[in-house]
Amino acid sequence: MKFKRPKLVFKKKLNDYSNFAFYLKKFLNINLYHVKKLDHARCVNCNSIKKNFYLSKCLPDFNIIKVLSNDISRKFYLRSIGKCLNCGLIQDFNRFSRKDLIEYLRQLSNKDQTISEEVWSEFPVPQKYENFLFKRHFKKRFKRWKKNLKFYTKPKKILFLRPTLGLIMNYFKKYNSDIYFLDISKISEQTILKKYKNANYLKGNIHGYFFGDFLKYKNFFDLIVVNHLLVHSIDFNHSFKSLKKLIKKRGKIILSDEIQIKYHNPFHLNFWNEKKLIDICKKHFKNVETIRDCGNINYSVLGATEKKDNPDLILSN
């Protein structure tokens, strides 16, 4: 069955029926197009309050009413998607504060609980499913990396952020590097520790906002591989600043699968296209390289990338 993607709807005059939309979700499990009009909310990129709002749907992949408190489920569910009229970034303005996020994580600390696919419900994940994920997300990516990803010296210390069952780590085995990682999935963590006996599991949080002990590793890593995290970030400028402090002077950062336009996904907050993401990266890093056609091509990248592909970005100073 083909998934019908909900689109944004722009109208010059929008009424805020967000409370009604939430109650429909809560009591009848109906997902209604809506917007929560936050006129004074500031753009996370440029801090402007000038924006146009859009109607959109939210389609959570789990029962938010059952597992989250009323206040947190309301903020998680209601969308306030708009386009900043100053910098042009489309974003959800109704995002958690850091305090909200900590409360959300207290109620639901494991990302596995938000995924409807049964394979994420218990350890170990079936090998057949791992093979499927590798073929869909990494087989082509590794070919592109082999041709285009160059290091002047072998990376001795590599940090992986959300390495997805360790599949993305496979490419770097040849370097025999010291491996460090954080993930947002407990099953992924278990899988990695089983596969990579010498992997160093770091303490901290990378889901929505970076905080914790891992941020103490300043000027430590030769390479950081970030896999589909910043599109979820409630403060991506903080994330970039944190990454910049962790990386060594001549180190590199790989951004993998960070351009995805899913307006209906409650975890997706930053709807940048390729040009806008590169512009944001250049605010924090001198060099931004692009490796074309790395990931899966689907509806969420079409129209958002220069060549209708799924590129990775390489950042350095």
Side-chain angles (χ1 to χ4, degrees), residues 194-212:
K194 182 180 179 181
K195 285 181 181 179
Y196 294 87
K197 302 298 183 182
N198 297 322
N200 298 282
Y201 171 64
L202 300 183
K203 293 182 179 180
N205 179 76
I206 56 173
H207 190 182
Y209 192 87
F210 291 175
F211 60 83

Side-chain angles (χ1 to χ4, degrees), residues 171-202:
Y171 180 84
F172 300 94
K173 283 182 177 179
K174 57 188 176 184
Y175 296 115
N176 197 29
S177 308
D178 294 336
I179 291 175
Y180 302 78
F181 79 97
L182 291 91
D183 212 301
I184 62 177
S185 158
K186 297 300 181 185
I187 287 178
S188 189
E189 290 172 4
Q190 288 178 276
T191 304
I192 291 165
L193 290 171
K194 182 180 179 181
K195 285 181 181 179
Y196 294 87
K197 302 298 183 182
N198 297 322
N200 298 282
Y201 171 64
L202 300 183

Side-chain angles (χ1 to χ4, degrees), residues 140 144 259 261 273-275 290-312:
K140 180 172 65 172
R144 301 291 186 265
I259 303 171
I261 309 297
N273 58 22
E274 181 181 341
K275 183 180 183 304
T290 303
I291 300 180
R292 301 238 62 97
D293 195 22
C294 288
N296 184 37
I297 300 174
N298 53 46
Y299 70 82
S300 64
V301 298
L302 294 179
T305 62
E306 184 181 330
K307 297 185 181 296
K308 297 183 180 180
D309 58 357
N310 192 334
D312 289 347

Side-chain angles (χ1 to χ4, degrees), residues 52-268:
N52 281 333
F53 285 112
Y54 301 92
L55 290 171
S56 61
K57 272 189 179 181
C58 182
L59 303 178
D61 204 22
F62 67 105
N63 190 334
I64 61 169
I65 305 301
K66 182 178 179 181
V67 301
L68 296 173
S69 67
N70 193 70
D71 288 346
I72 294 298
S73 61
R74 178 190 292 271
K75 190 150 191 182
F76 184 75
Y77 179 74
L78 293 179
R79 304 299 259 170
S80 182
I81 295 179
K83 181 177 182 179
C84 175
L85 298 180
N86 183 53
C87 73
L89 178 64
I90 298 176
Q91 60 202 279
D92 188 352
F93 287 90
N94 191 36
R95 53 185 69 205
F96 284 159
S97 66
R98 182 174 174 179
K99 183 179 178 181
D100 293 331
L101 178 66
I102 290 172
E103 178 57 28
Y104 168 87
L105 293 171
R106 188 188 68 78
Q107 297 179 24
L108 190 63
S109 61
N110 185 0
K111 183 70 165 61
D112 301 329
Q113 297 170 264
T114 70
I115 304 173
S116 61
E117 294 169 287
E118 290 185 9
V119 293
W120 291 97
S121 63
E122 60 182 47
F123 176 81
V125 171
Q127 187 61 48
K128 185 177 180 180
Y129 185 73
E130 281 199 39
N131 295 340
F132 161 74
L133 285 182
F134 177 79
K135 185 177 180 181
R136 184 172 69 174
H137 293 291
F138 301 110
K139 185 177 181 179
K140 180 172 65 172
R141 174 167 274 114
F142 288 2
K143 289 180 180 179
R144 301 291 186 265
W145 285 2
K146 186 175 181 180
K147 184 177 180 181
N148 299 286
L149 184 58
K150 307 297 181 185
F151 298 104
Y152 293 112
T153 57
K154 181 188 78 170
K156 295 179 180 179
K157 293 180 173 63
I158 305 177
L159 173 63
F160 294 92
L161 300 182
R162 199 183 182 188
T164 311
L165 302 173
L167 295 173
I168 203 168
M169 293 175 165
N170 291 340
Y171 180 84
F172 300 94
K173 283 182 177 179
K174 57 188 176 184
Y175 296 115
N176 197 29
S177 308
D178 294 336
I179 291 175
Y180 302 78
F181 79 97
L182 291 91
D183 212 301
I184 62 177
S185 158
K186 297 300 181 185
I187 287 178
S188 189
E189 290 172 4
Q190 288 178 276
T191 304
I192 291 165
L193 290 171
K194 182 180 179 181
K195 285 181 181 179
Y196 294 87
K197 302 298 183 182
N198 297 322
N200 298 282
Y201 171 64
L202 300 183
K203 293 182 179 180
N205 179 76
I206 56 173
H207 190 182
Y209 192 87
F210 291 175
F211 60 83
D213 289 350
F214 81 103
L215 294 178
K216 297 176 182 178
Y217 286 74
K218 295 180 180 179
N219 192 33
F220 187 80
F221 299 103
D222 302 289
L223 175 66
I224 302 177
V225 183
V226 183
N227 184 41
H228 194 65
L229 274 179
L230 300 183
V231 71
H232 295 180
S233 177
I234 62 175
D235 186 351
F236 55 77
N237 284 312
H238 173 268
S239 299
F240 279 121
K241 290 174 184 176
S242 299
L243 293 170
K244 195 171 183 177
K245 290 178 182 178
L246 294 171
I247 202 73
K248 287 183 178 179
K249 187 176 180 179
R250 298 186 181 277
K252 291 180 182 288
I253 298 171
I254 301 174
L255 300 186
S256 169
D257 204 18
E258 289 291 358
I259 303 171
Q260 280 202 12
I261 309 297
K262 293 182 178 180
Y263 300 118
H264 61 280
N265 188 321
F267 291 107
H268 283 229

